């Protein structure tokens, strides 16, 4: 896809969202159901993934770890956003790799040390780019990728999360 093609693809959507802002609000969904042992099955709409405990919390390593999946979601979103932005601003990426690392102290998750938080303490996002763009254009590419990457923005500016439940009668 080139610059003109992505602009042509997105132009009617942008116009619609400007004229009818309510049509831009879409609810994405994910669903899981508990499985065998301490696992759950994630229904993505594209595939079925079985998630389980990380080996550092007693898992067998055969199931996907939700922490890994979070980092994978960031890597995927950043990669797609990088590619779209590069195309939109006319940077020819011959190749690009997105590396994401996250530091997690499992003492918090296992309740071993109250002073240790539950969750990632630090996440690092690194791009390896093969292109001929000048430094100013590269800076613009990275700033726009950061600005428009949904997962990055969600993690860096956490939204309010509402928790509810239903109980099936016996």
């Amino acid at each position: 896809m080139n610059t003109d093609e992505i602009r042509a693809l997105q132009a009617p959507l942008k116009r619609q969202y400007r004229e009818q802002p309510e049509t831009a609000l879409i609810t994405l969904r994910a669903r899981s159901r508990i499985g065998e042992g301490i696992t759950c099955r994630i229904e993505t709409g594209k595939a079925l993934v079985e998630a389980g405990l990380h080996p550092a919390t007693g898992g067998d390593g055969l199931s996907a770890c939700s922490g890994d999946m979070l980092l994978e979601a960031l890597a995927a979103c950043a990669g797609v956003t990088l590619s779209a932005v590069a195309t939109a601003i006319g940077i020819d990426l011959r190749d690009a790799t997105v590396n994401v690392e996250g530091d997690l102290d499992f003492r918090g998750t296992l309740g071993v040390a109250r002073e240790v938080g539950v969750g990632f303490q630090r996440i690092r996002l690194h791009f390896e780019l093969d292109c001929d763009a000048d430094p100013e254009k590269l800076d613009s590419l990275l700033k726009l990728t950061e600005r428009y990457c949904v997962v990055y923005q969600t993690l860096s500016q956490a939204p309010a999360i509402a928790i509810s439940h239903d109980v099936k009668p016996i």
Side-chain angles (χ1 to χ4, degrees), residues 74-137:
L74 177 56
C77 189
V80 168
T81 305
L82 176 81
S83 183
V85 170
T87 301
I89 65 174
I91 293 177
D92 180 25
L93 287 177
R94 289 183 293 273
D95 194 17
T97 303
V98 180
N99 299 294
V100 180
E101 297 177 332
D103 301 327
L104 190 62
D105 186 334
F106 285 100
R107 294 177 299 161
T109 301
L110 292 175
V112 172
R114 285 188 181 264
E115 70 278 6
V116 176
V118 176
F120 286 98
Q121 297 171 341
R122 283 171 300 287
I123 296 175
R124 292 172 298 285
L125 178 60
H126 178 77
F127 298 93
E128 295 174 16
L129 307 173
D130 180 6
C131 65
D132 293 326
D134 62 54
E136 186 176 302
K137 199 102 172 190

Short mmCIF file of all heavy atoms in Angstrom, two decimals, residues 74-137:
data_model
loop_
_atom_site.label_atom_id
_atom_site.label_comp_id
_atom_site.label_asym_id
_atom_site.label_seq_id
_atom_site.Cartn_x
_atom_site.Cartn_y
_atom_site.Cartn_z
N LEU A 74 0.91 -4.81 22.46
CA LEU A 74 1.62 -3.55 22.26
C LEU A 74 2.51 -3.63 21.03
O LEU A 74 2.54 -2.71 20.20
CB LEU A 74 2.44 -3.19 23.51
CG LEU A 74 3.30 -1.93 23.41
CD1 LEU A 74 2.48 -0.70 23.04
CD2 LEU A 74 4.04 -1.72 24.73
N ALA A 75 3.25 -4.73 20.88
CA ALA A 75 4.13 -4.90 19.73
C ALA A 75 3.32 -4.90 18.43
O ALA A 75 3.71 -4.28 17.43
CB ALA A 75 4.94 -6.19 19.85
N ALA A 76 2.18 -5.58 18.43
CA ALA A 76 1.34 -5.65 17.24
C ALA A 76 0.77 -4.28 16.89
O ALA A 76 0.84 -3.84 15.73
CB ALA A 76 0.19 -6.64 17.45
N CYS A 77 0.23 -3.60 17.86
CA CYS A 77 -0.38 -2.29 17.62
C CYS A 77 0.67 -1.28 17.17
O CYS A 77 0.46 -0.52 16.22
CB CYS A 77 -1.10 -1.81 18.87
SG CYS A 77 -2.11 -0.33 18.61
N ALA A 78 1.82 -1.28 17.84
CA ALA A 78 2.89 -0.35 17.46
C ALA A 78 3.39 -0.65 16.05
O ALA A 78 3.67 0.26 15.28
CB ALA A 78 4.03 -0.42 18.48
N GLY A 79 3.49 -1.93 15.70
CA GLY A 79 3.94 -2.29 14.37
C GLY A 79 2.97 -1.87 13.28
O GLY A 79 3.37 -1.32 12.25
N VAL A 80 1.69 -2.11 13.50
CA VAL A 80 0.67 -1.72 12.52
C VAL A 80 0.62 -0.20 12.41
O VAL A 80 0.55 0.36 11.30
CB VAL A 80 -0.72 -2.30 12.91
CG1 VAL A 80 -1.83 -1.68 12.07
CG2 VAL A 80 -0.71 -3.81 12.77
N THR A 81 0.67 0.49 13.55
CA THR A 81 0.62 1.95 13.54
C THR A 81 1.85 2.51 12.84
O THR A 81 1.75 3.43 12.01
CB THR A 81 0.51 2.50 14.98
OG1 THR A 81 -0.63 1.90 15.61
CG2 THR A 81 0.35 4.01 14.98
N LEU A 82 3.02 1.98 13.15
CA LEU A 82 4.27 2.41 12.50
C LEU A 82 4.16 2.27 10.99
O LEU A 82 4.49 3.18 10.23
CB LEU A 82 5.45 1.59 13.03
CG LEU A 82 6.80 1.85 12.38
CD1 LEU A 82 7.43 3.09 12.99
CD2 LEU A 82 7.72 0.65 12.55
N SER A 83 3.68 1.13 10.54
CA SER A 83 3.55 0.87 9.11
C SER A 83 2.56 1.83 8.45
O SER A 83 2.83 2.38 7.37
CB SER A 83 3.11 -0.58 8.90
OG SER A 83 3.04 -0.89 7.54
N ALA A 84 1.42 2.05 9.11
CA ALA A 84 0.42 2.96 8.56
C ALA A 84 0.94 4.39 8.50
O ALA A 84 0.75 5.09 7.49
CB ALA A 84 -0.87 2.89 9.38
N VAL A 85 1.59 4.83 9.57
CA VAL A 85 2.12 6.20 9.60
C VAL A 85 3.22 6.36 8.55
O VAL A 85 3.25 7.36 7.83
CB VAL A 85 2.64 6.56 11.02
CG1 VAL A 85 3.42 7.87 10.99
CG2 VAL A 85 1.48 6.65 12.00
N ALA A 86 4.12 5.39 8.46
CA ALA A 86 5.19 5.46 7.45
C ALA A 86 4.60 5.58 6.06
O ALA A 86 5.05 6.40 5.25
CB ALA A 86 6.09 4.23 7.55
N THR A 87 3.57 4.79 5.79
CA THR A 87 2.92 4.85 4.49
C THR A 87 2.28 6.21 4.27
O THR A 87 2.44 6.82 3.21
CB THR A 87 1.86 3.74 4.38
OG1 THR A 87 2.50 2.47 4.56
CG2 THR A 87 1.16 3.77 3.03
N ALA A 88 1.61 6.72 5.29
CA ALA A 88 0.90 8.00 5.16
C ALA A 88 1.84 9.18 4.94
O ALA A 88 1.49 10.12 4.23
CB ALA A 88 0.03 8.24 6.39
N ILE A 89 3.03 9.14 5.55
CA ILE A 89 3.94 10.29 5.41
C ILE A 89 5.05 10.04 4.39
O ILE A 89 5.97 10.84 4.25
CB ILE A 89 4.53 10.73 6.78
CG1 ILE A 89 5.44 9.67 7.39
CG2 ILE A 89 3.43 11.14 7.73
CD1 ILE A 89 6.15 10.13 8.67
N GLY A 90 4.94 8.92 3.67
CA GLY A 90 5.84 8.68 2.55
C GLY A 90 7.22 8.14 2.91
O GLY A 90 8.18 8.39 2.19
N ILE A 91 7.32 7.40 3.99
CA ILE A 91 8.59 6.75 4.33
C ILE A 91 8.52 5.31 3.84
O ILE A 91 7.59 4.58 4.17
CB ILE A 91 8.85 6.78 5.86
CG1 ILE A 91 9.08 8.21 6.33
CG2 ILE A 91 10.06 5.91 6.21
CD1 ILE A 91 9.29 8.34 7.84
N ASP A 92 9.51 4.93 3.07
CA ASP A 92 9.58 3.55 2.57
C ASP A 92 10.34 2.71 3.58
O ASP A 92 11.56 2.78 3.67
CB ASP A 92 10.28 3.53 1.21
CG ASP A 92 10.38 2.12 0.64
OD1 ASP A 92 9.55 1.26 1.01
OD2 ASP A 92 11.31 1.88 -0.16
N LEU A 93 9.60 1.93 4.37
CA LEU A 93 10.23 1.01 5.33
C LEU A 93 10.56 -0.28 4.59
O LEU A 93 9.66 -1.00 4.17
CB LEU A 93 9.28 0.70 6.49
CG LEU A 93 9.04 1.78 7.52
CD1 LEU A 93 8.01 1.30 8.55
CD2 LEU A 93 10.33 2.18 8.22
N ARG A 94 11.84 -0.55 4.43
CA ARG A 94 12.23 -1.82 3.82
C ARG A 94 12.00 -2.96 4.80
O ARG A 94 11.64 -4.06 4.42
CB ARG A 94 13.70 -1.77 3.40
CG ARG A 94 13.95 -0.87 2.20
CD ARG A 94 15.40 -0.90 1.77
NE ARG A 94 16.28 -0.29 2.75
CZ ARG A 94 16.58 1.00 2.82
NH1 ARG A 94 16.05 1.84 1.94
NH2 ARG A 94 17.38 1.47 3.75
N ASP A 95 12.19 -2.65 6.09
CA ASP A 95 11.97 -3.63 7.14
C ASP A 95 11.84 -2.88 8.45
O ASP A 95 12.37 -1.78 8.61
CB ASP A 95 13.14 -4.62 7.21
CG ASP A 95 12.80 -5.86 8.04
OD1 ASP A 95 11.61 -6.13 8.29
OD2 ASP A 95 13.74 -6.57 8.46
N ALA A 96 11.12 -3.45 9.37
CA ALA A 96 10.99 -2.86 10.71
C ALA A 96 10.65 -3.96 11.69
O ALA A 96 9.87 -4.86 11.38
CB ALA A 96 9.91 -1.78 10.73
N THR A 97 11.26 -3.88 12.84
CA THR A 97 10.98 -4.82 13.93
C THR A 97 10.62 -4.01 15.16
O THR A 97 11.26 -3.00 15.45
CB THR A 97 12.23 -5.70 14.23
OG1 THR A 97 12.61 -6.38 13.03
CG2 THR A 97 11.94 -6.71 15.31
N VAL A 98 9.60 -4.45 15.86
CA VAL A 98 9.19 -3.81 17.10
C VAL A 98 9.50 -4.78 18.23
O VAL A 98 9.02 -5.92 18.23
CB VAL A 98 7.68 -3.48 17.09
CG1 VAL A 98 7.26 -2.82 18.40
CG2 VAL A 98 7.33 -2.60 15.89
N ASN A 99 10.31 -4.34 19.17
CA ASN A 99 10.68 -5.15 20.32
C ASN A 99 10.06 -4.55 21.58
O ASN A 99 10.18 -3.35 21.81
CB ASN A 99 12.20 -5.20 20.50
CG ASN A 99 12.89 -5.82 19.30
OD1 ASN A 99 12.71 -6.99 19.04
ND2 ASN A 99 13.63 -5.03 18.56
N VAL A 100 9.39 -5.38 22.35
CA VAL A 100 8.77 -4.93 23.59
C VAL A 100 9.26 -5.83 24.72
O VAL A 100 9.25 -7.05 24.59
CB VAL A 100 7.24 -4.97 23.52
CG1 VAL A 100 6.62 -4.49 24.82
CG2 VAL A 100 6.73 -4.14 22.35
N GLU A 101 9.72 -5.21 25.79
CA GLU A 101 10.14 -5.94 26.99
C GLU A 101 9.43 -5.33 28.19
O GLU A 101 9.22 -4.12 28.24
CB GLU A 101 11.64 -5.80 27.22
CG GLU A 101 12.51 -6.39 26.15
CD GLU A 101 13.99 -6.15 26.41
OE1 GLU A 101 14.34 -5.14 27.07
OE2 GLU A 101 14.78 -6.97 25.95
N GLY A 102 9.07 -6.17 29.14
CA GLY A 102 8.44 -5.68 30.35
C GLY A 102 9.02 -6.37 31.56
O GLY A 102 9.27 -7.57 31.54
N ASP A 103 9.27 -5.58 32.61
CA ASP A 103 9.81 -6.11 33.87
C ASP A 103 8.67 -6.32 34.84
O ASP A 103 7.89 -5.41 35.13
CB ASP A 103 10.82 -5.13 34.47
CG ASP A 103 11.99 -4.85 33.54
OD1 ASP A 103 12.37 -5.77 32.79
OD2 ASP A 103 12.50 -3.72 33.55
N LEU A 104 8.59 -7.55 35.35
CA LEU A 104 7.51 -7.96 36.23
C LEU A 104 8.12 -8.68 37.43
O LEU A 104 8.87 -9.63 37.26
CB LEU A 104 6.60 -8.90 35.44
CG LEU A 104 5.27 -9.32 36.00
CD1 LEU A 104 4.35 -8.14 36.19
CD2 LEU A 104 4.61 -10.31 35.05
N ASP A 105 7.83 -8.21 38.62
CA ASP A 105 8.31 -8.85 39.85
C ASP A 105 7.17 -9.72 40.37
O ASP A 105 6.16 -9.23 40.86
CB ASP A 105 8.71 -7.80 40.88
CG ASP A 105 9.37 -8.38 42.12
OD1 ASP A 105 9.10 -9.56 42.46
OD2 ASP A 105 10.14 -7.65 42.77
N PHE A 106 7.33 -11.03 40.24
CA PHE A 106 6.25 -11.96 40.58
C PHE A 106 5.98 -12.07 42.07
O PHE A 106 4.99 -12.68 42.47
CB PHE A 106 6.53 -13.34 39.97
CG PHE A 106 6.28 -13.38 38.49
CD1 PHE A 106 7.32 -13.27 37.58
CD2 PHE A 106 4.99 -13.50 38.00
CE1 PHE A 106 7.08 -13.29 36.22
CE2 PHE A 106 4.74 -13.52 36.64
CZ PHE A 106 5.80 -13.42 35.74
N ARG A 107 6.82 -11.44 42.92
CA ARG A 107 6.50 -11.42 44.35
C ARG A 107 5.20 -10.68 44.60
O ARG A 107 4.43 -11.05 45.49
CB ARG A 107 7.63 -10.78 45.16
CG ARG A 107 8.93 -11.58 45.13
CD ARG A 107 10.02 -10.86 45.87
NE ARG A 107 10.28 -9.57 45.23
CZ ARG A 107 10.91 -8.55 45.83
NH1 ARG A 107 11.36 -8.66 47.07
NH2 ARG A 107 11.09 -7.42 45.17
N GLY A 108 4.91 -9.66 43.79
CA GLY A 108 3.65 -8.92 43.93
C GLY A 108 2.45 -9.77 43.55
O GLY A 108 1.46 -9.83 44.28
N THR A 109 2.55 -10.46 42.42
CA THR A 109 1.45 -11.31 41.94
C THR A 109 1.14 -12.44 42.90
O THR A 109 -0.02 -12.80 43.09
CB THR A 109 1.83 -11.89 40.55
OG1 THR A 109 2.06 -10.80 39.65
CG2 THR A 109 0.74 -12.77 40.00
N LEU A 110 2.17 -13.00 43.51
CA LEU A 110 1.98 -14.13 44.42
C LEU A 110 1.74 -13.70 45.86
O LEU A 110 1.56 -14.55 46.73
CB LEU A 110 3.18 -15.08 44.34
CG LEU A 110 3.33 -15.83 43.02
CD1 LEU A 110 4.61 -16.65 43.02
CD2 LEU A 110 2.12 -16.72 42.77
N GLY A 111 1.71 -12.40 46.12
CA GLY A 111 1.45 -11.91 47.47
C GLY A 111 2.58 -12.21 48.45
O GLY A 111 2.35 -12.29 49.65
N VAL A 112 3.79 -12.36 47.94
CA VAL A 112 4.94 -12.68 48.78
C VAL A 112 5.48 -11.42 49.47
O VAL A 112 5.96 -11.49 50.60
CB VAL A 112 6.06 -13.34 47.93
CG1 VAL A 112 7.34 -13.50 48.72
CG2 VAL A 112 5.57 -14.68 47.39
N ALA A 113 5.39 -10.28 48.79
CA ALA A 113 5.90 -9.03 49.34
C ALA A 113 4.89 -7.92 49.06
O ALA A 113 4.70 -7.52 47.92
CB ALA A 113 7.26 -8.71 48.71
N ARG A 114 4.27 -7.42 50.12
CA ARG A 114 3.23 -6.39 49.95
C ARG A 114 3.75 -5.11 49.32
O ARG A 114 3.01 -4.39 48.67
CB ARG A 114 2.60 -6.06 51.31
CG ARG A 114 1.65 -7.11 51.80
CD ARG A 114 0.95 -6.58 53.06
NE ARG A 114 0.04 -7.56 53.58
CZ ARG A 114 -1.26 -7.58 53.32
NH1 ARG A 114 -1.78 -6.67 52.55
NH2 ARG A 114 -2.02 -8.51 53.84
N GLU A 115 5.03 -4.81 49.54
CA GLU A 115 5.60 -3.57 49.01
C GLU A 115 5.84 -3.63 47.50
O GLU A 115 6.12 -2.62 46.87
CB GLU A 115 6.90 -3.20 49.75
CG GLU A 115 8.09 -4.11 49.46
CD GLU A 115 8.11 -5.40 50.27
OE1 GLU A 115 7.15 -5.70 51.02
OE2 GLU A 115 9.11 -6.11 50.15
N VAL A 116 5.74 -4.81 46.92
CA VAL A 116 5.94 -4.97 45.48
C VAL A 116 4.59 -4.91 44.79
O VAL A 116 3.67 -5.66 45.13
CB VAL A 116 6.65 -6.31 45.17
CG1 VAL A 116 6.78 -6.52 43.67
CG2 VAL A 116 8.02 -6.37 45.83
N GLY A 117 4.49 -4.03 43.82
CA GLY A 117 3.23 -3.89 43.09
C GLY A 117 2.93 -5.10 42.21
O GLY A 117 3.82 -5.86 41.85
N VAL A 118 1.66 -5.25 41.89
CA VAL A 118 1.23 -6.29 40.96
C VAL A 118 1.20 -5.66 39.58
O VAL A 118 0.60 -4.61 39.38
CB VAL A 118 -0.17 -6.82 41.34
CG1 VAL A 118 -0.66 -7.83 40.31
CG2 VAL A 118 -0.16 -7.42 42.74
N GLY A 119 1.85 -6.27 38.63
CA GLY A 119 1.87 -5.74 37.27
C GLY A 119 3.27 -5.36 36.84
O GLY A 119 4.24 -5.48 37.59
N PHE A 120 3.35 -4.89 35.61
CA PHE A 120 4.64 -4.50 35.05
C PHE A 120 5.16 -3.25 35.74
O PHE A 120 4.42 -2.29 35.95
CB PHE A 120 4.53 -4.25 33.54
CG PHE A 120 4.40 -5.51 32.75
CD1 PHE A 120 3.16 -5.96 32.32
CD2 PHE A 120 5.53 -6.26 32.42
CE1 PHE A 120 3.04 -7.13 31.59
CE2 PHE A 120 5.42 -7.44 31.69
CZ PHE A 120 4.17 -7.87 31.28
N GLN A 121 6.43 -3.26 36.07
CA GLN A 121 7.07 -2.09 36.67
C GLN A 121 7.59 -1.15 35.60
O GLN A 121 7.58 0.06 35.76
CB GLN A 121 8.20 -2.53 37.59
CG GLN A 121 7.71 -3.36 38.76
CD GLN A 121 8.84 -3.98 39.55
OE1 GLN A 121 9.97 -4.10 39.09
NE2 GLN A 121 8.53 -4.39 40.76
N ARG A 122 8.10 -1.73 34.51
CA ARG A 122 8.62 -0.96 33.38
C ARG A 122 8.33 -1.74 32.10
O ARG A 122 8.40 -2.95 32.08
CB ARG A 122 10.14 -0.77 33.50
CG ARG A 122 10.56 0.29 34.50
CD ARG A 122 12.07 0.29 34.73
NE ARG A 122 12.59 -0.97 35.26
CZ ARG A 122 12.42 -1.41 36.51
NH1 ARG A 122 11.73 -0.70 37.36
NH2 ARG A 122 12.93 -2.55 36.90
N ILE A 123 8.03 -0.99 31.05
CA ILE A 123 7.87 -1.57 29.72
C ILE A 123 8.73 -0.74 28.77
O ILE A 123 8.71 0.49 28.81
CB ILE A 123 6.40 -1.57 29.26
CG1 ILE A 123 5.55 -2.47 30.17
CG2 ILE A 123 6.28 -2.03 27.81
CD1 ILE A 123 4.06 -2.45 29.87
N ARG A 124 9.49 -1.44 27.92
CA ARG A 124 10.35 -0.78 26.95
C ARG A 124 9.90 -1.16 25.54
O ARG A 124 9.71 -2.33 25.25
CB ARG A 124 11.81 -1.18 27.16
CG ARG A 124 12.37 -0.63 28.47
CD ARG A 124 13.76 -1.18 28.79
NE ARG A 124 13.78 -2.63 28.97
CZ ARG A 124 13.33 -3.27 30.06
NH1 ARG A 124 12.81 -2.59 31.07
NH2 ARG A 124 13.40 -4.59 30.15
N LEU A 125 9.75 -0.15 24.70
CA LEU A 125 9.33 -0.32 23.31
C LEU A 125 10.47 0.18 22.44
O LEU A 125 10.91 1.33 22.58
CB LEU A 125 8.05 0.49 23.08
CG LEU A 125 7.41 0.53 21.71
CD1 LEU A 125 7.00 -0.86 21.25
CD2 LEU A 125 6.19 1.44 21.74
N HIS A 126 11.00 -0.68 21.57
CA HIS A 126 12.16 -0.32 20.75
C HIS A 126 11.89 -0.70 19.29
O HIS A 126 11.43 -1.81 19.01
CB HIS A 126 13.41 -1.05 21.25
CG HIS A 126 14.63 -0.78 20.44
ND1 HIS A 126 15.34 0.39 20.54
CD2 HIS A 126 15.25 -1.52 19.49
CE1 HIS A 126 16.35 0.35 19.70
NE2 HIS A 126 16.33 -0.80 19.05
N PHE A 127 12.18 0.23 18.39
CA PHE A 127 11.98 0.01 16.96
C PHE A 127 13.32 -0.17 16.28
O PHE A 127 14.24 0.61 16.51
CB PHE A 127 11.26 1.21 16.32
CG PHE A 127 9.90 1.46 16.87
CD1 PHE A 127 9.71 2.35 17.92
CD2 PHE A 127 8.79 0.83 16.33
CE1 PHE A 127 8.44 2.60 18.43
CE2 PHE A 127 7.52 1.07 16.83
CZ PHE A 127 7.35 1.95 17.88
N GLU A 128 13.44 -1.18 15.43
CA GLU A 128 14.59 -1.35 14.55
C GLU A 128 14.09 -1.10 13.14
O GLU A 128 13.24 -1.84 12.64
CB GLU A 128 15.16 -2.77 14.67
CG GLU A 128 15.72 -3.09 16.04
CD GLU A 128 16.14 -4.55 16.16
OE1 GLU A 128 16.27 -5.25 15.12
OE2 GLU A 128 16.32 -5.00 17.31
N LEU A 129 14.61 -0.04 12.52
CA LEU A 129 14.07 0.40 11.23
C LEU A 129 15.12 0.32 10.13
O LEU A 129 16.28 0.68 10.34
CB LEU A 129 13.59 1.86 11.34
CG LEU A 129 12.62 2.16 12.48
CD1 LEU A 129 12.36 3.64 12.59
CD2 LEU A 129 11.33 1.39 12.31
N ASP A 130 14.71 -0.14 8.97
CA ASP A 130 15.56 -0.16 7.79
C ASP A 130 14.88 0.73 6.76
O ASP A 130 13.88 0.34 6.14
CB ASP A 130 15.71 -1.59 7.27
CG ASP A 130 16.61 -1.67 6.03
OD1 ASP A 130 17.20 -0.64 5.65
OD2 ASP A 130 16.69 -2.77 5.46
N CYS A 131 15.39 1.97 6.63
CA CYS A 131 14.81 2.94 5.70
C CYS A 131 15.84 4.03 5.45
O CYS A 131 16.87 4.10 6.12
CB CYS A 131 13.52 3.53 6.24
SG CYS A 131 13.73 4.51 7.73
N ASP A 132 15.54 4.87 4.48
CA ASP A 132 16.45 5.97 4.12
C ASP A 132 15.94 7.33 4.60
O ASP A 132 16.42 8.36 4.14
CB ASP A 132 16.64 6.02 2.60
CG ASP A 132 17.38 4.79 2.08
OD1 ASP A 132 18.26 4.30 2.81
OD2 ASP A 132 17.07 4.35 0.96
N ALA A 133 14.99 7.36 5.51
CA ALA A 133 14.41 8.63 5.96
C ALA A 133 15.44 9.44 6.74
O ALA A 133 16.26 8.89 7.47
CB ALA A 133 13.19 8.37 6.83
N ASP A 134 15.38 10.76 6.57
CA ASP A 134 16.29 11.63 7.31
C ASP A 134 15.85 11.69 8.78
O ASP A 134 14.74 11.31 9.12
CB ASP A 134 16.34 13.03 6.69
CG ASP A 134 15.00 13.75 6.71
OD1 ASP A 134 14.39 13.88 7.79
OD2 ASP A 134 14.55 14.19 5.63
N PRO A 135 16.74 12.16 9.67
CA PRO A 135 16.43 12.17 11.11
C PRO A 135 15.14 12.91 11.46
O PRO A 135 14.40 12.49 12.35
CB PRO A 135 17.65 12.84 11.73
CG PRO A 135 18.77 12.57 10.77
CD PRO A 135 18.13 12.57 9.41
N GLU A 136 14.86 14.00 10.77
CA GLU A 136 13.64 14.77 11.06
C GLU A 136 12.39 13.96 10.72
O GLU A 136 11.42 13.93 11.48
CB GLU A 136 13.66 16.07 10.25
CG GLU A 136 12.51 17.01 10.60
CD GLU A 136 12.62 18.32 9.84
OE1 GLU A 136 13.65 19.01 9.99
OE2 GLU A 136 11.67 18.63 9.11
N LYS A 137 12.42 13.26 9.60
CA LYS A 137 11.28 12.44 9.18
C LYS A 137 11.12 11.23 10.12
O LYS A 137 10.01 10.85 10.45
CB LYS A 137 11.50 11.98 7.73
CG LYS A 137 10.27 11.53 7.04
CD LYS A 137 9.74 12.58 6.10
CE LYS A 137 8.61 11.97 5.29
NZ LYS A 137 8.17 12.77 4.21
#
